[in-house]
Amino acid sequence: MVIPVSRQTDEQLIEQFRQGSVQAFERLMQRYRDDICAYAYRHAKSYEDAEDIAQEVFAKVYRALPAWKPQASFKTWLYTIARNLCTDHHRGRIRRPTQSLEALQADSSDEPTAPDSANDPVRNLEESEIHTVIAEALDQLSDQQKEVFVLYHYQHLQIKEIAKVLEIADGTVKMHRHRAMKKLRILLEPYWKLLQEG
Amino acid sequence: MKPCDRFEERYTEYVYGELNASESQLIEAHLKECALCAKEAAALRRTLIFLEREPDVVMPQEITRGFEQGVYRRIAFEANQRMVESTNGRISKWAGPLSHIRSLLLPSSWQWFVQGGLMAASLAFGIWIGTSQFKSATPLKPSSVAQNDTAQQRLARHWQEEIQSGLDEAHAERYLRGNMNAALEQYARLSEFKANDTDLIAQVQVERQELIKRTGI
Ligand SMILES: [Zn+2]
């Protein structure tokens, strides 16, 4: 009996790819392309850069898959590769620290202050503005906090999966996530209050 | 004034709905008694609701359309790079990836396009679109071997051209496959070609041996 491709597991597709099926690789790529692009976009903040990163992720997978020995799920491995490439991409660029980031680095406490723009009388937040506001808030998190939060909240990875990708303990993942939430709460409060009033 | 430490650290789990029934009850009982904690938990919940307002990241179509081809080009480029870098350049290392790519581009695949009722013109169009869409940072050019190149450089160029021309055909194939039933048939037929993989590897090996003879390595 032939199993419909859509219901084949990652493991089945990997096995087919190892036996020479390029289609199996393409199915895997189709299955995860959007997720990996979105993840890369959260880091790179440009569609073009996100595409570059995501393409490189799958090129790496293509090269490495024949010799890959699963220690966790394919998905976890995929995100590990993606995360490393996002980090490489980030390091390859001249960092332009924003005012608020500098302020955060100078301040060793875990309590961020809302950026000045939060006090703007923005009555109607458009979707794109919400995206910008949230992206700026995420940038104020520590690298680990942001990574955990993005993987959990946007990529819908489980705590255990995130722990594998980042090679940290489950409890540490939860701690980073909670700290991220507390910072986001402070940074985003002015905005949701505005929406509440409006 | 801060929320109570021993409850506070569970509030993220609480608002994400990860606590079991008894844990939730414990938290909720506390929130009824402690105004500070109730305010904190409510704020976290409002933050989550605000985060949910953000639309999902959706890549523009003009970017995702050329996605697969970009991946294949990177694979080929990397294989080529490694060949250039390797001192003995053994074919066995590349036979796998290259045969995959090349298996999609056997010259006889042209016959299938024609048999599938597809115009040669649309194929050419596909190649044109496929090629022009590539903005990826590959230094591949339709170059020819220059007189003053070293033997190693000639070999590298030859391979570049091999890969380049093959990939262009792969683009066309994918474009055509993307929009019609005939293309799906084509997809099934292409998989039949894969049986020829071993022939391809042998063929590539022969080509390479000849090139080595010609260039005098
Ligand atoms: Zn309390």
Side-chain angles (χ1 to χ4, degrees), chain B residues 2-5 7-8 11 30-31 33-38:
Chain B
K2 291 174 78 178
C4 315
D5 281 344
F7 289 101
E8 191 273 336
Y11 291 154
H30 178 72
L31 295 182
E33 294 166 357
C34 178
L36 220 57
C37 278

Side-chain angles (χ1 to χ4, degrees), chain B residues 79-125:
Chain B
N80 185 61
Q81 284 289 97
R82 281 203 243 166
M83 193 199 69
V84 175
E85 284 161 14
S86 76
T87 46
N88 55 5
R90 290 182 55 181
I91 186 79
S92 58
K93 264 167 109 178
W94 324 113
L98 281 177
S99 70
H100 271 155
I101 293 163
R102 291 188 50 136
S103 67
L104 290 165
L105 351 146
L106 283 173
S108 53
S109 65
W110 288 81
Q111 294 168 20
W112 292 112
F113 282 117
V114 177
Q115 282 185 13
L118 303 168
M119 305 277 288
S122 61
L123 181 65
F125 185 59

Side-chain angles (χ1 to χ4, degrees), chain B residues 4-5 16 26 31 39 48 55 58 107 115-116 183 185 192 201 215:
Chain B
C4 315
D5 281 344
Y16 270 117
L26 208 69
L31 295 182
K39 194 176 163 230
L48 262 196
V58 178
Q115 282 185 13
E185 276 178 43
E192 290 171 23
I201 294 164
T215 54

Side-chain angles (χ1 to χ4, degrees), chain A residues 22-23 26 42 47 51-52 55-56 62-63 131 152-154 174 177-178 182 185 192, chain B residues 8 12-13 16 18 40 47 52 54 63 67-68 72 74-75 78 82 100 174 177 187 191:
Chain A
V22 188
Q23 288 98 321
E26 288 174 4
R42 293 267 168 213
Y47 291 122
E51 182 200 24
D52 278 347
Q55 283 181 344
E56 195 54 38
Y62 187 98
R63 293 190 292 263
H131 177 80
Y152 183 83
H153 186 84
Y154 295 106
K174 284 191 180 181
R177 186 185 59 170
H178 184 55
K182 286 206 291 182
R185 174 244 148 123
W192 57 252
Chain B
E8 191 273 336
T12 294
E13 289 165 275
Y16 270 117
E18 291 173 349
E40 176 71 11
T47 302
E52 297 297 335
E54 185 188 20
I63 282 184
F67 190 86
E68 278 186 13
Y72 281 114
R74 279 165 198 276
I75 293 163
E78 164 88 1
R82 281 203 243 166
H100 271 155
R174 282 183 164 72
R177 180 149 57 84
Y187 188 78
S191 63

Side-chain angles (χ1 to χ4, degrees), chain A residues 53-108:
Chain A
I53 293 168
Q55 283 181 344
E56 195 54 38
V57 169
F58 288 106
K60 266 194 194 302
V61 166
Y62 187 98
R63 293 190 292 263
L65 205 48
W68 179 57
K69 291 188 183 69
Q71 287 171 345
S73 67
F74 173 73
K75 184 174 150 193
T76 307
W77 182 56
L78 195 62
Y79 272 102
T80 306
I81 295 172
R83 193 220 169 199
N84 290 337
L85 286 172
C86 284
T87 308
D88 289 352
H89 174 266
H90 187 62
R91 284 187 186 140
R93 295 194 149 210
I94 299 160
R95 291 188 72 171
R96 283 176 297 158
T98 60
Q99 179 69 34
S100 45
L101 188 62
E102 277 168 358
L104 194 75
Q105 281 163 344
D107 176 15
S108 60

Side-chain angles (χ1 to χ4, degrees), chain A residues 104 107 109-115 140-141 179-180 182-187:
Chain A
L104 194 75
D107 176 15
S109 88
D110 215 32
E111 299 287 311
T113 49
Q140 299 214 31
L141 305 179
R179 290 194 179 160
K182 286 206 291 182
K183 276 193 197 176
L184 290 175
R185 174 244 148 123
I186 292 164
L187 294 166

